[in-house]
């Protein structure tokens, strides 16, 4: 089996990882591949600011920097924050993929303009940053939110009826008012809403965790990976630098 490491960039309890793993059902995963989900040992909680995203960068790098020597064939950062994407590409030679970059570039393939529909306004900068870094700000029609604080442990459990209706309203407005012809879900914690939105919208709806994983799978199958000319390796790796930091959930330590 070809193992892919999926990293949730905030600490979550072990049982919450099952909810993240559920987005990659058997229908989406090639039989030769196996997905392993882990979360950052420590760091931010809601990625609501530059402060928290910087912490996430450090602990995602910590979680993934040994992936190659541990036998993984690829790494997926399971968050639209794209935490530590460039750093992991620098450290590793195996493919490293993250959802914001993957979904936005796919949206450009599928349409002329895309909108991101997300949970709360604190995440807007994540998408504007990704669009800037990938040179596609002109393709981002809008970012819309429903004003609901995300929950990385429970995801949308118990809030489906209200959240699905609110996301549908904002997605339809993005198409009708903002000119979007592709909709991107703003978080992997929103994956439960994808099936509903796909049935009520007449434009493609991209589920970020699935898109990032399938991109990683395709790169592995085709023997491609990121250019080391673009992401040169460090002269002196320091993979144990954060080893002394205690894990929020010690039971997840290997």
């Amino acid at each position: 089996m070809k193992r892919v490491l999926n990293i949730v960039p905030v600490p979550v309890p072990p049982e919450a990882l099952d909810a993240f793993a559920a987005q990659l059902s058997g229908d989406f995963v090639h039989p030769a591949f196996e997905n392993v989900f882990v979360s950052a040992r420590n760091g931010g909680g809601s990625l609501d600011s530059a402060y928290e995203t910087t912490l996430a960068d450090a602990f995602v790098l910590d979680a993934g920097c040994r992936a190659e020597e541990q036998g993984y064939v690829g790494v997926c950062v399971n968050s639209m924050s794209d935490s530590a994407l460039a750093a992991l590409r620098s450290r590793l030679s195996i493919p490293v993929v993250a959802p914001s970059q993957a979904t936005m570039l796919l949206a450009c393939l599928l349409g002329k303009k895309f909108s991101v529909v997300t949970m709360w306004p604190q995440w807007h900068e994540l998408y504007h940053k990704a669009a800037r870094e990938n040179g596609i700000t002109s393709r981002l029609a809008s970012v819309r939110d429903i004003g609901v604080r995300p929950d990385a442990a429970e995801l949308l459990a118990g809030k489906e009826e209200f959240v699905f209706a609110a996301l549908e309203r904002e997605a339809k407005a993005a198409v009708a008012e903002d000119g979007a012809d592709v909709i991107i879900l703003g978080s992997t914690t929103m994956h439960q809403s994808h099936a509903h939105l796909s049935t009520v919208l007449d434009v493609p709806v991209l589920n970020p965790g699935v898109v990032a994983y399938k991109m990683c799978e395709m790169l592995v199958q085709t023997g491609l990976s990121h250019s080391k000319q673009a992401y040169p390796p460090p002269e002196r790796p320091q993979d144990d630098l954060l080893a002394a930091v205690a894990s929020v959930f010690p039971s997840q330590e290997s």
Side-chain angles (χ1 to χ4, degrees), residues 7-179:
I7 306 172
V8 177
V10 298
V12 297
E15 57 272 19
L17 290 175
D18 292 336
F20 281 96
Q23 66 195 285
L24 298 180
S25 69
D27 293 338
F28 291 121
V29 179
H30 188 281
F33 284 76
E34 176 187 4
N35 283 282
V36 176
F37 276 77
V38 301
S39 71
R41 292 188 299 109
N42 212 311
S46 60
L47 304 184
D48 60 0
S49 59
Y51 180 89
E52 286 221 341
T53 56
T54 300
L55 291 175
D57 285 340
F59 283 98
V60 170
L61 176 60
D62 173 69
C65 62
R66 300 172 185 82
E68 198 162 355
E69 65 189 62
Q70 292 169 344
Y72 290 100
V73 297
V75 174
C76 286
V77 179
N78 198 260
S79 168
M80 289 287 279
S81 62
D82 285 7
S83 299
L85 175 60
L88 283 172
R89 285 178 173 172
S90 171
R91 182 66 185 88
L92 305 172
S93 297
I94 57 176
V96 182
V97 182
S100 267
Q101 184 184 68
T103 51
M104 287 184 182
L105 294 178
L106 178 58
C108 290
L109 181 68
L110 299 178
K112 296 178 179 178
K113 293 265 190 177
F114 63 88
S115 287
V116 180
V117 178
T118 193
M119 297 296 286
W120 64 342
Q122 285 87 334
W123 281 348
H124 282 217
E125 176 55 21
L126 297 178
Y127 321 119
H128 289 293
K129 178 175 180 286
R132 290 193 304 269
E133 290 179 347
N134 289 286
I136 51 175
T137 54
S138 64
R139 307 289 290 274
L140 176 59
S142 62
V143 177
R144 287 176 170 263
D145 69 80
I146 62 172
V148 175
R149 192 183 196 282
D151 187 334
E154 298 295 332
L155 305 190
L156 300 183
K159 303 186 286 289
E160 291 91 345
E161 184 174 355
F162 164 73
V163 168
F164 286 12
L167 291 172
E168 178 182 340
R169 181 188 67 243
E170 293 302 322
K172 287 182 174 179
V175 174
E177 301 171 22
D178 305 334

